[in-house]
Amino acid sequence: MVSEGPDRIGDLIRMGAEFDWQGDHIGLSREGGHSLARVLHSGDSTGSEIEATLIRTVNAWQSIQVFEHRFSVDLLVDNGRCVGVLTFDEPTGRLVAHLAKAVILATGGAGQLYSVTTNPTISTGDGMAMAYRAGAVLADMEFIQFHPTALDRDSMPRFLITEALRGEGAYLRDCNGERFMVGRHPLAELAPRDVVTREMVKVMHCCHDAPVYLDATHIPESVLKERYPNIWSRCREVGIDISKDLIPVRPVAHYTIGGASTDLNGETNIVGLYATGETACTGVHGANRLASNSLLEGLVFSKRISLAVMRQLSFEEDQAVADIRLDYHVEKPVVDIDVAAERSWLQKLMTDYAGVVRNEEGLRYAISALNKKDDILRAGFMSSAGFELQNMFSIAGLLAKSALSRKESRGVHYREDYPESNDRWLIHLENRYVEDMVAG
């Protein structure tokens, strides 16, 4: 990732991505856990700039077909090889099979498992759940990163106050106006995210659940407006002038470090199935992703996947797309399941017992509660909301079981009953669904 990162950034720039410059060179900023400024940015909307650039590039290629409003239900596997994807066409209610010589999962993470998150409503772990059902190995599912500074408002997903603002010099203050990170870590407000988040939880508890405050009032107004226009305007919408007012913030679920385990070319243990971005577990993030490494990981390993797929297809040039018979049985839908209510119940359960601070009693309770809802996994839904709910329950169970198994604290996984790291746990916990197959 380090050696190939600069070339991938160059690819983005050639596609038209616009980053901020300082004089004659690209500007760099510093974020949590960084000892040097090393992050490229486009105002405070870097991810949006990259996404818009990639969408423009895809739309410019007439040979690329884009199917919208289709929910990916399951992977199609034939003789140990992934040969396509089964999708649900929402407007028509039909199941549609897309056969392919290679399948790449790029479906994001599972932040919606929690009541408050920066993730969009579609981040329900769908790609991970599909991969798991197909027989792929999922690793490191217990490692969920919580971002320290999301705007403390009721809107969902929560608006993220970028870590770059702390890199610019903003302070974190408790309910009494005191800076609480000084002396807690050498980097103070720029300590790694897990450290900052846990300190915030302690402070909020002592302040009777009052939020923590981000203080940027000592930063020149011109810098705030120019460098952080999105934060400036969003806070103004809710009556906060960040040049004069403290910004109320809370930790929220932000990033799924685990996922479908891949090699350095993004391939899973299933031939022809690849995963990238937050859906994948490449291992580069360890137990605590550093700020901005997610975008870099996606760029680097997606390129490696594309090269690997081209090599695979060149070797198999004469091989036809698999000729398979689909036998997809859907049971009668269970009509008495309130999808929205069950989703909210799950989010509260995970927030309360598998969130920032965990312990054996809480995790065992969460697993037991999830097991009592196994009828949801057996229900024959025919809606994207129903499919999402099943995927959320599936991934929640794996997350809780992995968190219970790891009897230590490491990175973003914090067990108050095992508060120290233990080198016996320098391992990746893996999950794989194995189903007995009966020959027909």
Side-chain angles (χ1 to χ4, degrees):
M1 186 168 76
V2 173
S3 61
E4 296 177 14
D7 288 340
R8 300 292 75 80
I9 291 169
D11 292 342
L12 270 182
I13 293 172
R14 283 188 288 275
M15 290 180 197
E18 296 184 359
F19 296 104
D20 295 337
W21 287 72
Q22 292 178 345
D24 59 354
H25 61 276
I26 289 180
L28 300 175
S29 62
R30 185 175 166 216
E31 298 187 7
H34 298 175
S35 55
L36 296 172
R38 64 173 183 83
V39 181
L40 285 77
H41 45 82
S42 179
D44 54 355
S45 303
T46 309
S48 296
E49 174 64 19
I50 292 174
E51 180 182 13
T53 299
L54 295 176
I55 290 173
R56 286 196 306 269
T57 303
V58 167
N59 288 339
W61 285 78
Q62 294 183 353
S63 58
I64 298 177
Q65 269 188 297
V66 177
F67 299 90
E68 296 186 294
H69 308 295
R70 290 194 180 178
F71 185 91
S72 297
V73 178
D74 266 321
L75 297 169
L76 302 174
V77 179
D78 182 51
N79 292 322
R81 183 189 187 100
C82 188
V83 295
V85 181
L86 184 69
T87 68
F88 176 68
D89 184 39
E90 191 82 55
T92 65
R94 296 182 304 131
L95 291 171
V96 181
H98 295 264
L99 302 184
K101 294 181 180 179
V103 173
I104 303 167
L105 293 171
T107 56
Q112 285 290 324
L113 292 180
Y114 295 89
S115 297
V116 286
T117 179
T118 60
N119 291 188
T121 55
I122 60 172
S123 293
T124 49
D126 304 309
M128 300 173 195
M130 285 194 298
Y132 178 68
R133 288 193 294 270
V137 172
L138 302 190
D140 297 348
M141 296 304 294
E142 66 271 35
F143 295 106
I144 299 291
Q145 185 174 80
F146 288 76
H147 196 289
T149 54
L151 184 64
D152 186 31
R153 288 294 185 271
D154 291 336
S155 61
M156 282 285 285
R158 291 293 171 87
F159 178 70
L160 182 67
I161 306 294
T162 175
E163 211 156 45
L165 190 56
R166 278 177 281 144
E168 196 74 49
Y171 304 137
L172 284 170
R173 298 188 183 276
D174 63 19
C175 58
N176 298 314
E178 300 295 326
R179 288 181 65 187
F180 59 88
M181 285 305 300
V182 177
R184 307 290 177 89
H185 190 278
L187 294 177
E189 280 86 0
L190 282 179
R193 288 177 178 174
D194 64 307
V195 176
V196 177
T197 296
R198 284 197 294 273
E199 291 299 329
M200 289 177 67
V201 169
K202 293 177 186 176
V203 166
M204 289 162 59
H205 178 73
C206 293
C207 289
H208 307 288
D209 200 40
V212 164
Y213 296 93
L214 193 61
D215 180 4
T217 58
H218 54 287
I219 299 173
E221 182 176 321
S222 59
V223 173
L224 295 174
K225 284 184 175 179
E226 181 182 350
R227 287 287 310 279
Y228 309 100
N230 201 23
I231 294 174
W232 178 274
S233 60
R234 182 63 68 92
C235 287
R236 294 280 291 197
E237 289 173 7
V238 296
I240 299 171
D241 181 343
I242 65 174
S243 67
K244 299 180 177 66
D245 305 323
L246 301 183
I247 309 168
V249 292
R250 288 180 184 269
V252 294
H254 183 59
Y255 191 86
T256 310
I257 290 177
S261 183
T262 70
D263 62 15
L264 292 180
N265 291 318
E267 189 166 22
T268 68
N269 57 297
I270 299 176
V271 177
L273 177 64
Y274 300 80
T276 187
E278 202 170 349
T279 313
C281 180
T282 60
V284 298
H285 301 309
N288 185 19
R289 178 179 69 85
L290 279 174
S292 293
N293 278 6
S294 55
L295 293 176
L296 188 62
E297 179 202 31
L299 287 172
V300 169
F301 288 95
S302 294
K303 177 68 172 183
R304 295 181 71 85
I305 289 172
S306 69
L307 296 174
V309 168
M310 286 190 288
R311 287 194 298 269
Q312 171 193 324
L313 296 185
S314 66
F315 289 141
E316 303 170 352
E317 193 171 349
D318 298 328
Q319 179 177 320
V321 173
D323 181 16
I324 62 174
R325 178 177 62 87
L326 292 178
D327 184 12
Y328 199 82
H329 176 66
V330 179
E331 297 178 8
K332 183 179 179 181
V334 179
V335 296
D336 60 349
I337 291 180
D338 186 331
V339 173
E342 294 293 352
R343 180 165 172 151
S344 296
W345 176 89
L346 174 65
Q347 291 170 328
K348 186 177 188 310
L349 180 80
M350 296 300 288
T351 300
D352 289 346
Y353 300 106
V356 176
V357 179
R358 304 162 175 177
N359 58 49
E360 181 170 350
E361 181 182 3
L363 291 167
R364 287 195 182 279
Y365 175 80
I367 293 167
S368 174
L370 289 169
N371 288 340
K372 292 176 182 176
K373 299 272 190 177
D374 61 356
D375 59 317
I376 289 175
L377 293 176
R378 295 196 305 269
F381 292 110
M382 281 298 286
S383 69
S384 58
F387 295 139
E388 283 182 334
L389 183 67
Q390 289 177 315
N391 291 334
M392 291 172 70
F393 268 80
S394 177
I395 297 303
L398 297 179
L399 192 164
K401 290 173 185 176
S402 295
L404 178 64
S405 296
R406 183 173 288 278
K407 294 178 170 59
E408 66 157 356
S409 292
R410 184 178 299 277
V412 297
H413 170 68
Y414 182 72
R415 288 278 299 265
E416 61 182 356
D417 47 350
Y418 295 95
E420 303 298 329
S421 297
N422 187 329
D423 285 351
R424 289 178 53 218
W425 290 98
L426 280 172
I427 57 175
H428 296 280
L429 297 182
E430 297 183 340
N431 298 273
R432 182 176 180 182
Y433 178 75
V434 179
E435 183 180 34
D436 293 331
M437 304 299 291
V438 180

